[in-house]
Amino acid sequence: MDPLVITALLLVPSLIFLIINSLKSSKTSKTYENLPPSPPGLPIIGNLHQLLGALSHRALTNLAKKCGPVMYLKLGSVPVVIISSREAAKEVLKIQDPAFCGRPESITSKIMWYNYIDIAFSPYNDYWKQMRKICMMEMLSAKNVRSFASIREDELSRLMNGLRDASGRAVDLTERVFWFTSSVTSRAAFGKVSRDRDTLIAILKRAVELAGGFLIADFFPSFKLLHYLSWNRYQLIRMRNKLDKILDSIVEDHKLKQSGEYGSEDIVDVLLRMAQNKELEFPINKENIKAIIYDMFSAGVETSSTVIDWTMAELMRNPRVMAKVQAEMREAFKDKGTIQESDVQSLKYLKCVIKESFRLHIPVALVPRACREEGHVVEGYNIPLNSKVLVNAWAIGRDPKIWDEPETFRPERFENSPIDYLGNHFELLPFGAGRRICPGVVFGMANVDYPLAKLLFHFDWKLPEGKGVDMTEKDGLTIARKNGLLLVPTPYKP
Ligand code: HEM
């Protein structure tokens, strides 16, 4: 018999058994009967059967309006707590950060991110500290990011030339910007653009989509049979095998030629040297190196390109803001006739535009954490040990208690405001906060603000005849726009 049919025959009864079981346990709250009671009790807002498919940041935001800023979902045998207010986020990400700086486990991250030996999905431990420190020192520090300026310039001029060639015709800006961020990240991390870039990108997009979702096997971590029968697991293993081959060849190429672009060491060279010299407290091997370089690629590419994409989409919908942000830079640099990376710091309104874009279209809508310690209370609720804690930064960015007219794109709200996005202000959390705050802030922002300034300085933008801006979101760990942004560029002559 076809293996697919056998899998389906085995899977269907197991699923029925699990769903019945989950409904039963929701009545008795068996999993939590030994927990100290929550004063006045975490609101239990639903069961697995009601919630599957309704777990997007939007659906959770609507539920929070009814249930409050700390919600508890009963999903199979996994406790999930959703945090939806600035105050509760501050508790989780700052005040009680040591208790909440774990990462939840999932089939997707286990398979695709090398059994949690990367940084982003690693549990909070000394190995994580060691690897995060290496990446900060060797790739993500402000000094490193400055040293990649020539890569950014090179890739940006490629992007600009391509747009000039397409002048007057509709281009898929989403795709072109993605191409730009993936090239810069590849060249900075691997020393060159991988010859398998298209496959790498396809794997990355699917993995990020699955990592942001909820697979049924994730709700029953101890039910191994379900894991073995999971169709997604086979899909993931196939993708991981392909990924492994690509990363293998990147590492092998570096072994042959121990120098990155322009002769300097890149992160792969550094990690290889460390693996050979055995100079680390936690020795690393090829598997660790592959996990780390995949982390840099997967965490850096889609997040940055998404910010540019959403910002351009909002500017197209808001001609007043578009005119104002272009006027700011075109007036300031009219004599120069161009704009350079060092000029971007002076563009105050552009900064407000980017913050407003982060507020409405935060790339990581649900910041994933895990509770590592027992007995922690947030806003009066006990948070179960090992629960998956999701900070709904998307809901906080649109909270009417914090933001006046929250659905309106109005960058002026950030003029004369102290709010930044570096993890100090819990109403705006694009990079998270606390111990696990994104280590790629400087690298990521260098791939956002300067390219955006160039796109806006050197081109005027129009929508293709009869088209609007489609703001539909795609599901996933990173919330990208679902469809490519089609725009017509016209070069601007100062
Ligand atoms: C605009 C671009 C970016 C955004 C919006 C972003 C956002 C985030 C967020 C929200 C987190 C989770 C933080 C938390 O748990 O508190 C994170 C973690 C992470 N990011 Fe970024 N990121 C961006 C760019 C980058 C880049 C360019 C890199 C590296 C090349 C990177 C590497 C990482 C890593 C390794 C982690 C895991 C950190 C840990 O768990 O310790 N990110 N990012």
Side-chain angles (χ1 to χ4, degrees):
M1 209 188 286
D2 189 324
L4 265 179
V5 180
I6 301 175
T7 313
L9 285 176
L10 289 168
L11 195 60
V12 170
S14 313
L15 279 179
I16 294 171
F17 168 79
L18 283 168
I19 290 175
I20 292 171
N21 239 11
S22 124
L23 296 181
K24 270 197 216 147
S25 73
S26 71
K27 287 189 190 118
T28 54
S29 286
K30 233 163 137 191
T31 330
Y32 311 110
E33 63 196 2
N34 297 329
L35 284 171
S38 299
L42 280 164
I44 297 181
I45 60 157
N47 295 311
L48 183 60
H49 69 301
Q50 295 163 332
L51 288 163
L52 271 181
L55 285 169
S56 70
H57 53 284
R58 273 180 192 273
L60 292 171
T61 303
N62 288 334
L63 282 172
K65 284 181 194 149
K66 286 186 231 149
C67 303
V70 184
M71 296 188 298
Y72 164 52
L73 311 187
K74 194 166 170 48
L75 298 177
S77 62
V78 178
V80 181
V81 175
I82 315 286
I83 300 293
S84 315
S85 75
R86 169 178 52 187
E87 293 70 25
K90 185 171 180 183
E91 283 288 334
V92 167
L93 300 177
K94 183 176 180 189
I95 300 169
Q96 304 187 51
D97 184 30
F100 293 104
C101 62
R103 288 275 187 230
E105 295 189 355
S106 78
I107 298 190
T108 308
S109 47
K110 185 176 164 77
I111 297 175
M112 294 307 296
W113 280 269
Y114 288 78
N115 208 6
Y116 315 117
I117 55 169
D118 65 327
I119 299 171
F121 294 99
S122 162
Y124 177 76
N125 55 27
D126 289 340
Y127 167 79
W128 165 83
K129 278 187 202 157
Q130 169 183 290
M131 300 318 288
R132 190 175 153 116
K133 194 167 153 197
I134 294 172
C135 287
M136 285 301 298
M137 279 168 50
E138 305 292 344
M139 181 173 163
L140 301 173
S141 70
K143 186 168 154 242
N144 293 136
V145 174
R146 272 197 303 277
S147 76
F148 301 139
S150 58
I151 299 180
R152 277 190 298 276
E153 287 294 354
D154 198 25
E155 292 300 331
L156 254 181
S157 71
R158 219 182 292 268
L159 174 67
M160 295 287 132
N161 289 339
L163 291 172
R164 263 181 221 113
D165 291 345
S167 169
R169 281 186 285 126
V171 295
D172 185 340
L173 190 65
T174 310
E175 199 182 281
R176 292 188 185 228
V177 168
F178 197 95
W179 195 254
F180 162 79
T181 53
S182 70
S183 303
V184 173
T185 313
S186 296
R187 287 175 66 179
F190 316 148
K192 64 178 182 188
V193 175
S194 161
R195 56 183 170 268
D196 301 301
R197 186 224 309 242
D198 290 349
T199 319
L200 197 56
I201 287 176
I203 293 173
L204 162 73
K205 285 194 170 174
R206 183 70 186 128
V208 166
E209 209 176 293
L210 287 170
F214 294 79
L215 306 187
I216 198 152
D218 285 334
F219 302 138
F220 302 94
S222 50
F223 195 166
K224 296 292 174 227
L225 180 65
L226 186 65
H227 290 229
Y228 283 102
L229 295 176
S230 158
W231 175 245
N232 290 114
R233 183 169 173 274
Y234 288 105
Q235 206 191 351
L236 286 164
I237 289 174
R238 268 212 319 269
M239 285 194 331
R240 157 72 190 270
N241 289 341
K242 269 195 204 166
L243 171 70
D244 210 42
K245 284 203 186 94
I246 299 174
L247 297 178
D248 251 332
S249 73
I250 291 173
V251 176
E252 288 307 321
D253 281 358
H254 279 74
K255 278 188 184 162
L256 291 176
K257 184 181 152 296
Q258 288 258 325
S259 66
E261 196 165 9
Y262 310 126
S264 59
E265 270 193 331
D266 60 36
I267 187 81
V268 188
D269 298 316
V270 171
L271 292 169
L272 273 170
R273 179 165 44 77
M274 288 175 169
Q276 275 157 12
N277 296 351
K278 310 241 177 304
E279 57 195 55
L280 295 171
E281 188 187 349
F282 299 94
I284 57 171
N285 57 30
K286 198 171 172 187
E287 290 299 284
N288 305 77
I289 299 177
K290 287 188 283 187
I292 298 295
I293 60 176
Y294 181 54
D295 226 16
M296 295 298 108
F297 191 74
S298 56
V301 175
E302 200 174 20
T303 43
S304 317
S305 67
T306 289
V307 183
I308 300 183
D309 194 47
W310 280 116
T311 310
M312 288 300 289
E314 281 293 0
L315 290 174
M316 293 312 296
R317 283 171 14 125
N318 294 278
R320 177 194 69 82
V321 181
M322 173 69 102
K324 188 167 167 183
V325 73
Q326 285 184 314
E328 177 189 52
M329 53 186 76
R330 288 178 179 177
E331 184 52 37
F333 303 111
K334 63 172 184 261
D335 296 337
K336 231 164 130 171
T338 187
I339 194 161
Q340 287 166 322
E341 195 160 35
S342 53
D343 298 331
V344 174
Q345 288 319 314
S346 64
L347 299 173
K348 301 270 180 294
Y349 192 64
L350 177 69
K351 300 247 167 252
C352 297
V353 168
I354 294 172
K355 283 184 191 172
E356 183 68 341
S357 177
F358 272 144
R359 183 184 71 77
L360 279 173
H361 307 289
I362 195 147
V364 182
L366 300 172
V367 179
R369 296 296 188 91
C371 177
R372 310 162 53 238
E373 293 168 10
E374 212 156 346
H376 283 269
V377 175
V378 174
E379 305 251 309
Y381 298 116
N382 276 312
I383 308 297
L385 175 67
N386 294 330
S387 51
K388 179 168 175 162
V389 178
L390 299 174
V391 177
N392 190 347
W394 191 90
I396 299 171
R398 293 172 185 238
D399 185 346
K401 291 196 207 85
I402 306 173
W403 310 101
D404 183 31
E405 293 183 65
E407 300 297 323
T408 308
F409 188 80
R410 187 157 43 78
E412 285 75 9
R413 69 177 84 238
F414 288 105
E415 280 173 347
N416 306 315
S417 153
I419 296 175
D420 64 33
Y421 43 68
L422 300 174
N424 308 310
H425 298 95
F426 294 82
E427 51 273 72
L428 191 66
L429 290 166
F431 296 99
R435 283 168 175 69
R436 294 210 82 142
I437 190 172
C438 174
V441 183
V442 184
F443 190 106
M445 287 314 291
N447 282 347
V448 168
D449 48 18
Y450 180 43
L452 203 48
K454 281 281 219 200
L455 290 174
L456 294 169
F457 187 93
H458 288 291
F459 292 94
D460 287 323
W461 297 93
K462 264 195 338 228
L463 288 165
E465 205 57 42
K467 296 266 187 239
V469 186
D470 178 3
M471 301 297 273
T472 315
E473 294 171 340
K474 196 171 77 180
D475 287 336
L477 193 58
T478 309
I479 308 294
R481 286 177 56 267
K482 190 168 180 187
N483 300 307
L485 182 62
L486 291 186
L487 294 182
V488 181
T490 308
Y492 163 77
K493 295 197 178 55

